[in-house]
Amino acid sequence: MKNDYTPVFLFIIKLTLGISFIYGSYHRIADPEGFAKILYGTAVFPGVCINILAISIPFVGLVAGFSLIMGLFPRSAVLIINATLSGFILIIGFNLLRGHQFDCGYFVFSSENQTASNIYLLITDFLMLASGIYFLRKTTAS
Amino acid sequence: MIQKDLKGIFLLVFFALITAFSYNYLSPSGIPHFGQWEPLKTDSIKANSIEIIKPSVKKK
């Protein structure tokens, strides 16, 4: 069911997801070593694949963000963003459940209270994922 | 619909990976693609570092 506000909501979601992913990727691209340390700190990935992930994940987010804002394959971009967010949620949730302290560093690279920061990031990721699912449900393939 | 989405995902990820590895190769702050995680080794070395005490030589 579509109402008059649906295009406005979709536009806001598009801008919010796109800009937050471009902004989030910028720090990681500027400091790949810092992001590699964060990935290592999650204690989820094996040491061999950390550098490859640290190089590739930020650019996938950057391209998806730009593609979403510019309207090139918007559904594909949102699918990539949703997959990335699901991965973040799984990693953060898994580490919070087992009580492993780590610096997630999505928007910032350091924080004094890391558990509170991770819970805040988990909530933000859930909200972004929900808006991404809403976007997918309301748009048709281009 | 699903085929178009999959085609878009493939194109975007392909473009992103090419850009990522090209940028990392050209950029001076790039990190090595493969191999063991380096900072782990340096951290462990720092943690177990031994202080080198210079012998004092008395001049006659």
Side-chain angles (χ1 to χ4, degrees):
Chain A
M1 185 182 148
K2 282 193 174 184
N3 59 31
D4 294 340
Y5 296 108
T6 307
V8 180
F9 278 134
L10 293 180
F11 182 71
I12 291 169
I13 288 170
K14 210 161 95 165
L15 274 186
T16 312
L17 284 179
I19 290 171
S20 56
F21 259 74
I22 291 168
Y23 179 73
S25 304
Y26 172 76
H27 293 289
R28 297 168 177 180
I29 291 168
D31 184 16
E33 284 187 30
F35 185 50
K37 280 179 187 171
I38 288 168
L39 283 180
Y40 177 74
T42 58
V44 173
F45 303 104
V48 180
C49 67
I50 279 176
N51 280 356
I52 298 172
L53 288 172
I55 292 165
S56 54
I57 288 174
F59 276 92
V60 172
L62 185 77
V63 169
F66 268 118
S67 165
L68 183 62
I69 286 177
M70 291 171 76
L72 292 166
F73 302 109
R75 279 179 59 87
S76 308
V78 171
L79 279 169
I80 292 171
I81 286 172
N82 282 356
T84 316
L85 286 171
S86 306
F88 291 154
I89 288 169
L90 281 176
I91 291 167
I92 297 169
F94 175 62
N95 278 325
L96 281 174
L97 277 177
R98 66 174 172 168
H100 177 71
Q101 288 278 336
F102 76 105
D103 181 14
C104 184
Y106 186 67
F107 292 111
V108 286
F109 274 113
S110 63
S111 172
E112 286 180 5
N113 191 352
Q114 288 176 352
T115 308
S117 166
N118 291 338
I119 291 170
Y120 169 73
L121 278 169
L122 195 65
I123 293 166
T124 318
D125 285 353
F126 264 118
L127 288 175
M128 286 166 76
L129 182 64
S131 59
I133 292 167
Y134 176 81
F135 186 91
L136 279 178
R137 286 176 65 89
K138 292 289 178 184
T139 51
T140 51
S142 53
Chain B
M1 188 168 172
I2 295 168
Q3 274 189 339
K4 281 185 180 176
D5 290 343
L6 287 176
K7 188 183 163 188
I9 289 171
F10 176 77
L11 283 171
L12 291 177
V13 171
F14 183 70
F15 178 70
L17 290 181
I18 285 179
T19 317
F21 286 108
S22 313
Y23 175 81
N24 187 65
Y25 182 72
L26 295 172
S27 138
S29 63
I31 53 175
H33 300 180
F34 304 104
Q36 198 59 39
W37 173 234
E38 292 294 333
L40 181 67
K41 290 176 184 172
T42 54
D43 286 346
S44 62
I45 289 166
K46 273 180 192 171
N48 300 321
S49 63
I50 303 163
E51 281 186 32
I52 299 166
I53 302 163
K54 290 180 181 176
S56 57
V57 181
K58 287 179 183 177
K59 286 183 181 177
K60 288 181 180 177

